[in-house]
Amino acid sequence: MNSKIAKRVLLEAKHILETKDTIRTISNIFHVSKSTVHKDLHERLLEIDQYQYQQVDEILKYHTDVRHIRGGESTRKKYEKLDTN
């Protein structure tokens, strides 16, 4: 694996462990696609550091479990904003 990619993967992993941000947020911060972040944190991180992978995987599973709640909140905020205009 390219050392530049490995460095990015470790930085993404460190970031998600510190902030618990979503894949979308991390992709914006690191200026890569969501698909790239997903591949970095699900495949490449496993090759680099299995312990960090397990920690990151727990966070990503949590995000999957609560995404329906976040989606509902976004819709509610959207319509509240439309009602005030």
Side-chain angles (χ1 to χ4, degrees):
M1 179 182 318
N2 184 334
S3 64
K4 182 178 176 183
I5 293 173
K7 184 177 178 180
R8 181 187 69 224
V9 170
L10 291 173
L11 287 172
E12 290 170 352
K14 180 181 177 192
H15 181 81
I16 196 169
L17 290 171
E18 290 174 353
T19 64
K20 310 239 186 299
D21 280 343
T22 62
I23 286 181
R24 181 182 301 258
T25 304
I26 293 170
S27 71
N28 289 330
I29 291 170
F30 288 91
H31 305 289
V32 294
S33 71
K34 292 184 299 181
S35 300
T36 300
V37 174
H38 192 271
K39 184 173 180 110
D40 286 349
L41 297 178
H42 272 99
E43 294 176 21
R44 295 179 178 134
L45 183 59
L46 183 59
E47 294 175 16
I48 297 170
D49 187 341
Q50 290 183 357
Y51 178 71
Q52 266 192 341
Y53 169 80
Q54 290 172 348
Q55 293 176 313
V56 168
D57 193 49
E58 287 180 27
I59 294 169
L60 294 175
K61 285 179 183 175
Y62 169 76
H63 286 299
T64 301
D65 290 343
V66 299
R67 70 179 166 201
H68 67 283
I69 296 168
R70 269 192 252 113
E73 282 295 309
S74 297
T75 304
R76 184 181 60 77
K77 288 177 184 176
K78 173 186 171 183
Y79 285 107
E80 281 180 354
K81 185 177 178 182
L82 290 175
D83 285 342
T84 59
N85 290 333

